[in-house]
Amino acid sequence: FGSGKVDRLILVATPNQGIEKDIQQYCTIFGEKLECKDMSPGSLFLNKLETGRQADIPVHNIIGSGCDMDGGDGDGIVLTTRAHLEDARNIIINGSCDPFAPLHLRLLSISRYPETYDAIKAALDSRNETGLNTLPLS
């Protein structure tokens, strides 16, 4: 519905370009079938997002890194390459994973990852948004 009343967008651990097939196999255990289908690379939902008009507001995209996944590095659920957004301020939070507690689920734990809180606070405190880039925090 536009960005008229929104002055910035903060994303945390978002599968902006979909999830990997091995993660997708287990998605319906924790999520709804239709939402899991929407997160498949090349899905109608993701294609519409990618071809739509870009937001004219600052986008802060917090990405987890440090978990070895079949397809590369990620947060245990989302590959960093699939979370990255071209026209956003991408903020990398380095962490660690284990099979029962992926970084994806712990990124919002302030005691474990205060960098996430710091990134959100900085995004909310920012007044002048110029230059969108990747900012590693750790």
Side-chain angles (χ1 to χ4, degrees):
F1 301 109
S3 58
K5 294 185 180 186
V6 177
D7 68 353
R8 73 197 71 223
L9 175 63
I10 303 170
L11 304 169
V12 180
T14 305
N16 295 304
Q17 298 166 27
I19 56 177
E20 294 301 296
K21 287 187 182 219
D22 57 339
I23 298 299
Q24 191 175 5
Q25 291 174 5
Y26 302 104
C27 181
T28 55
I29 294 171
F30 303 104
E32 293 294 324
K33 185 176 180 179
L34 291 177
E35 284 82 359
C36 293
K37 181 180 175 184
D38 285 343
M39 289 189 287
S40 301
S43 72
L44 178 63
F45 175 73
L46 289 178
N47 283 335
K48 283 184 176 183
L49 285 179
E50 289 176 17
T51 58
R53 187 174 63 88
Q54 296 297 318
D56 57 352
I57 58 172
V59 177
H60 304 265
N61 187 29
I62 300 171
I63 302 170
S65 175
C67 299
D68 184 26
M69 298 174 62
D70 263 351
D73 178 65
D75 67 8
I77 301 294
V78 181
L79 286 171
T80 55
T81 56
R82 293 211 184 267
H84 186 269
L85 287 174
E86 196 63 39
D87 295 323
R89 176 161 289 165
N90 293 287
I91 304 152
I92 307 295
I93 305 293
N94 292 308
S96 61
C97 256
D98 70 59
F100 302 105
L103 176 61
H104 182 85
L105 299 176
R106 296 181 296 156
L107 267 175
L108 291 177
S109 171
I110 293 172
S111 62
R112 290 184 185 203
Y113 293 98
E115 306 90 37
T116 304
Y117 172 79
D118 293 342
I120 292 169
K121 187 173 182 316
L124 291 171
D125 288 345
S126 62
R127 299 287 181 247
N128 185 6
E129 295 296 330
T130 60
L132 301 171
N133 54 17
T134 299
L135 301 172
L137 292 177
S138 63

